[in-house]
Amino acid sequence: MTQPTYQTDALIAEDIDAYLDKHQHKSMLRFITCGSVDDGKSTLIGRLLYDSRMIFEDQLAALESDSKRVGTQGQEIDFALLVDGLAAEREQGITIDVAYRFFTTESRKFIVADCPGHEQYTRNMVTGASTADLAVILIDARKGVLTQTRRHSFLCHQLGIRHLVLAVNKMDLIGYDRAAYDAIVADYADFAQSIGIEGFTAIPISGLAGDNITARSGNTGWYDGPTLIEYLEAVEVRSDANLARPFRMPVQWVNRPNLDFRGFSGLIASGSVKPGDEVRSLPSSKTSRVKAVVTMDGDLPEAGAGQSVTLTLEDEIDCSRGDVLAAADNPPQVADQFESTIVWMDEEPLVVGRGYWLKLGTQTVSVTVAEPKFEIDVNSMDRLAAKTLHLNQIGVAEITTDRRVVFEPYEQNRTLGGYILVDKLTNRTVGAGMIHFALRRAQNVHWQATDITRDDHAAMKNQKPRVLWFTGLSGSGKSTIANEVEKKLAMMNRHTFLLDGDNIRHGLNKDLGFTESDRIENIRRIGEVAKLMTDAGLIVLTAFISPFRADRQLVRDMMGEGEFIEIHVDTPLEVAEARDVKGLYKKAREGKLKNFTGIDSPYEVPENPEIRVNTVEMTPEEAADYVISKILPLK
């Protein structure tokens, strides 16, 4: 194996302090390698680490030993082993998880993410690409443009990566054939143009042999472009472009160490800021001027994109974590409904209408996703009809947040345009999204304030509004017990209203069926109605199966603190089925009634209900008395 040809700066031997200072102020480029399986991504990164002298002697010795034991290059060094660290990756010779590696040259520092090529690990590739400035898309010169080449190129384009390198790898295995290289580049250019990629840089390389990686290769005399490392050192990084954009800083923390200091800390997403600049806090739209730009090492005359700072303001304005400080004369938008591209990353499919957490910058809000407008077939770029999204699928859908968020389109600002979706129950990251634009109705529909408030309505009725949410299997006795509770409350001169599941489906929700999505929408609508009734000062009783915890939590989140009382009417399935007053279980068992809770659709038992009643041990009247005894002491 020949030694690396990349030359280090002589300054490192002459003046180490000067060298370290020079190193500290180098720019940073984040990039990914992607493409199909066995295109040589890990080998390329290993070669970059080796040639830039970023491995120690003991690592080199271990690499040489591992290469002979589990490598794929005979007695030669298998550079892929520098990156593929999981046992399963070494056994199969594939990349499974995203592997991040750091290396540096005399001109720039780099963080490279080695992304898996297999389709089933597409979500891992999205994770790596989400923070990258550049993508190196590898193609095996023997195979040409493959499905995963197209898939990863499309994802890179969707994720806002504008610098693409088409690295035609393994040129040594086709005898450095220029005609084959030109044909691959032309094929890829046609595809790139079809999906909106405006330009890319093609380089013929061999990751294993080192051709055109750090030094020009004599084997490709017909190629007169840059080597890979030359291009990586010269390309513009995103932080440079972000400096030219308007100032935006999501507030991560309100810094209040003592009574005399109040600052707003965060990472500047774009633009620059200096003392005296007028800034606007969103979504409140309050304005002030910057008094100082504070850091641990002292105040700065100016700070820009990529720097973490604390800003103190001249005025005491309301600003907290999740708000965004921005240029006062050029602020970002605020809305609660958007069109968005969504990449689904979970084994469980998207449930339309279910509440998820949306994390955008430092903002966390509840969000629901509408039925996708279409799914994108990344192989053909066709738009396909879709009711939901499954693992690794990409679609376009409308999303609605429970309150306004500060945003910019993803193509303008990744920080304020890109988000993740988190399952409320499991805390798993289930999706990633890119905002296109706010829906017009989100900006034209405003909440109309009224003079008589919900507190006024409650005071007139001399009671605290509540929602008594009865949940349980069909036949558990929800409606019967809720009816008994309402009668007892009426005798106590309480103002109530009972919303029953069957009754609601005769009117408001008669357009809904019993699929999972329809059940979720059924509960969402009931929650909105119940909230309006509590605004009127009423005690609302609801009797619904409401089988999913996430949907009950969605309604709880709509209400004020302490207003939602979950009452689990706890009846075993065999008891509820034995009652079968409406004959529904019999029909479900015979296959005549689909999606019936307890038979072919799940019921998620409440984990921490405020009240639990056992209808096996209690009569409906006893259960009602028990509920009354629990809710009356509540304030």
Side-chain angles (χ1 to χ4, degrees):
M1 173 62 64
T2 59
Q3 291 299 310
T5 57
Y6 198 86
Q7 300 300 313
T8 57
D9 195 325
L11 185 63
I12 194 171
E14 298 171 0
D15 188 340
I16 187 64
D17 290 332
Y19 176 82
L20 291 175
D21 182 68
K22 176 183 174 182
H23 177 79
Q24 182 180 356
H25 293 91
K26 293 178 187 175
S27 62
M28 170 75 77
L29 174 69
R30 295 174 179 268
F31 72 98
I32 63 169
T33 59
C34 54
S36 193
V37 180
D38 292 332
D39 279 350
K41 298 178 291 298
S42 300
T43 299
L44 173 62
I45 295 176
R47 166 62 74 172
L48 286 171
L49 295 175
Y50 183 79
D51 283 2
S52 59
R53 299 183 184 272
M54 291 304 295
I55 54 176
F56 298 107
E57 289 185 6
D58 59 335
Q59 290 177 306
L60 179 59
L63 175 63
E64 292 172 343
S65 174
D66 289 345
S67 296
K68 295 175 181 178
R69 183 169 53 87
V70 295
T72 60
Q73 304 301 323
Q75 296 301 305
E76 296 293 327
I77 287 181
D78 185 352
F79 292 108
L81 297 180
L82 279 172
V83 184
D84 290 337
L86 299 178
E89 293 178 321
R90 293 188 169 210
E91 290 170 1
Q92 300 178 61
I94 64 172
T95 300
I96 295 175
D97 200 2
V98 180
Y100 294 91
R101 294 293 184 268
F102 170 85
F103 70 98
T104 183
T105 67
E106 300 309 318
S107 301
R108 177 171 278 174
K109 296 179 284 189
F110 302 91
I111 294 178
V112 56
D114 181 23
C115 296
H118 282 68
E119 180 177 349
Q120 72 186 89
Y121 301 123
T122 298
R123 58 183 170 182
N124 295 6
M125 178 268 171
V126 171
T127 302
S130 63
T131 58
D133 303 299
L134 177 147
V136 177
I137 300 171
L138 277 89
I139 290 181
D140 188 328
R142 301 168 300 171
K143 301 175 182 177
V145 179
L146 301 176
T147 297
Q148 276 298 83
T149 312
R150 295 185 174 92
R151 180 186 298 272
H152 284 185
S153 298
F154 175 75
L155 285 170
C156 288
H157 181 62
Q158 287 291 307
L159 289 165
I161 299 176
R162 295 295 174 255
H163 300 294
L164 300 177
V165 174
L166 183 70
V168 183
N169 193 24
K170 304 184 182 181
M171 289 295 296
D172 53 316
L173 298 184
I174 63 167
Y176 303 97
D177 185 346
R178 179 176 185 176
Y181 168 79
D182 289 341
I184 291 172
V185 173
D187 186 16
Y188 184 82
D190 290 340
F191 165 74
Q193 185 177 18
S194 72
I195 64 172
I197 293 176
E198 297 179 354
F200 62 91
T201 299
I203 304 176
I205 67 168
S206 171
L208 186 64
D211 294 287
N212 293 326
I213 305 297
T214 59
R216 294 181 181 276
S217 171
N219 296 315
T220 56
W222 41 265
Y223 172 71
D224 58 1
T227 64
L228 178 60
I229 203 68
E230 286 173 349
Y231 181 82
L232 294 178
E233 286 181 328
V235 71
E236 178 190 62
V237 297
R238 179 157 42 99
S239 59
D240 296 335
N242 282 343
L243 277 171
R245 297 191 175 105
F247 170 67
R248 278 96 173 91
M249 188 187 84
V251 176
Q252 186 174 4
W253 176 45
V254 178
N255 189 348
R256 185 82 176 183
N258 55 59
L259 294 175
D260 299 321
F261 186 92
R262 183 167 178 258
F264 305 99
S265 303
L267 175 68
I268 300 176
S270 65
S272 60
V273 65
K274 61 184 182 298
D277 284 353
E278 187 175 14
V279 294
R280 187 180 303 273
S281 175
L282 296 166
S284 70
S285 203
K286 300 293 184 182
T287 60
S288 183
R289 290 190 180 276
V290 176
K291 180 188 292 185
V293 180
V294 182
T295 71
M296 211 172 134
D297 298 323
D299 293 359
L300 299 178
E302 186 173 16
Q307 288 183 273
S308 294
V309 297
T310 296
L311 301 182
T312 59
L313 306 180
E314 293 182 354
D315 305 290
E316 294 288 337
I317 65 172
D318 182 16
C319 183
S320 58
R321 174 178 168 82
D323 292 350
V324 175
L325 290 174
D329 59 351
N330 192 359
Q333 302 177 58
V334 180
D336 60 7
Q337 292 178 310
F338 314 90
E339 182 185 271
S340 169
T341 294
I342 299 174
V343 181
W344 197 251
M345 305 168 69
D346 195 50
E347 300 285 351
E348 296 294 324
L350 164 71
V351 179
V352 172
R354 170 162 292 174
Y356 296 96
W357 292 123
L358 178 146
K359 296 191 174 185
L360 173 67
T362 58
Q363 305 167 91
T364 300
V365 296
S366 183
V367 67
T368 55
V369 183
E371 184 175 294
K373 294 182 176 180
F374 54 84
E375 174 203 341
I376 302 170
D377 184 335
V378 296
N379 301 323
S380 63
M381 297 299 115
D382 291 338
R383 296 182 173 186
L384 309 177
K387 296 291 185 182
T388 184
L389 294 175
H390 294 84
L391 177 64
N392 293 329
Q393 288 184 334
I394 305 166
V396 172
E398 294 180 1
I399 63 173
T400 302
T401 56
D402 65 342
R403 60 182 182 273
R404 298 188 307 159
V405 296
V406 185
F407 83 100
E408 287 190 300
Y410 184 82
E411 63 180 10
Q412 296 178 20
N413 190 316
R414 283 190 182 184
T415 302
L416 294 180
Y419 62 85
I420 62 170
L421 296 174
V422 178
D423 187 280
K424 287 187 174 182
L425 294 179
T426 64
N427 282 326
R428 291 197 310 268
T429 298
V430 295
M434 292 78 75
I435 291 175
H436 299 167
F437 50 79
L439 301 178
R440 185 176 301 243
R441 61 180 178 271
Q443 299 178 18
N444 293 339
V445 178
H446 304 279
W447 187 266
Q448 181 63 49
T450 56
D451 292 332
I452 304 300
T453 66
R454 73 193 313 268
D455 291 338
D456 294 330
H457 286 295
M460 291 179 213
K461 298 174 178 63
N462 193 30
Q463 63 184 31
K464 179 175 175 60
R466 296 192 187 285
V467 174
L468 307 182
W469 192 275
F470 292 81
T471 175
L473 293 169
S474 177
S476 62
K478 300 180 299 299
S479 297
T480 303
I481 297 171
N483 189 52
E484 287 292 329
V485 171
E486 186 178 34
K487 287 194 296 185
K488 292 179 181 295
L489 289 173
M491 293 176 64
M492 301 164 65
N493 293 321
R494 305 296 187 188
H495 298 262
T496 64
F497 196 90
L498 173 58
L499 295 170
D500 182 79
D502 285 350
N503 295 349
I504 292 295
R505 283 187 176 273
H506 279 86
L508 176 65
N509 291 345
K510 66 181 180 181
D511 60 317
L512 299 177
F514 290 89
T515 64
E516 187 172 355
S517 294
D518 282 347
R519 288 173 181 271
I520 292 169
E521 177 60 14
N522 181 55
I523 297 304
R524 188 197 69 79
R525 292 183 191 178
I526 295 307
E528 294 289 355
V529 171
K531 184 178 187 303
L532 289 173
M533 288 185 166
T534 58
D535 287 344
L538 296 175
I539 297 174
V540 186
L541 300 90
T542 71
F544 298 89
I545 294 174
S546 51
F548 305 119
R549 296 189 191 104
D551 307 322
R552 300 192 294 266
Q553 182 64 43
L554 176 67
V555 180
R556 184 187 291 272
D557 292 341
M558 294 180 187
M559 307 300 166
E561 185 176 356
E563 290 185 359
F564 184 88
I565 310 298
E566 188 174 32
I567 304 169
H568 180 206
V569 182
D570 190 358
T571 304
L573 176 62
E574 59 272 16
V575 175
E577 188 170 359
R579 295 171 181 169
D580 205 11
V581 178
K582 303 173 185 177
L584 300 178
Y585 284 99
K586 184 174 184 294
K587 290 181 180 180
R589 292 294 187 188
E590 293 173 350
K592 298 177 182 178
L593 187 60
K594 299 296 184 183
N595 301 312
F596 190 74
T597 302
I599 303 302
D600 57 352
S601 184
Y603 177 75
E604 298 175 353
V605 176
E607 294 178 328
N608 296 294
E610 281 76 9
I611 302 173
R612 187 187 302 275
V613 295
N614 187 327
T615 61
V616 176
E617 300 174 355
M618 297 178 178
T619 65
E621 186 168 356
E622 289 171 340
D625 287 335
Y626 180 72
V627 171
I628 292 291
S629 70
K630 290 291 186 180
I631 64 173
L632 284 184
L634 295 176
K635 298 296 183 184

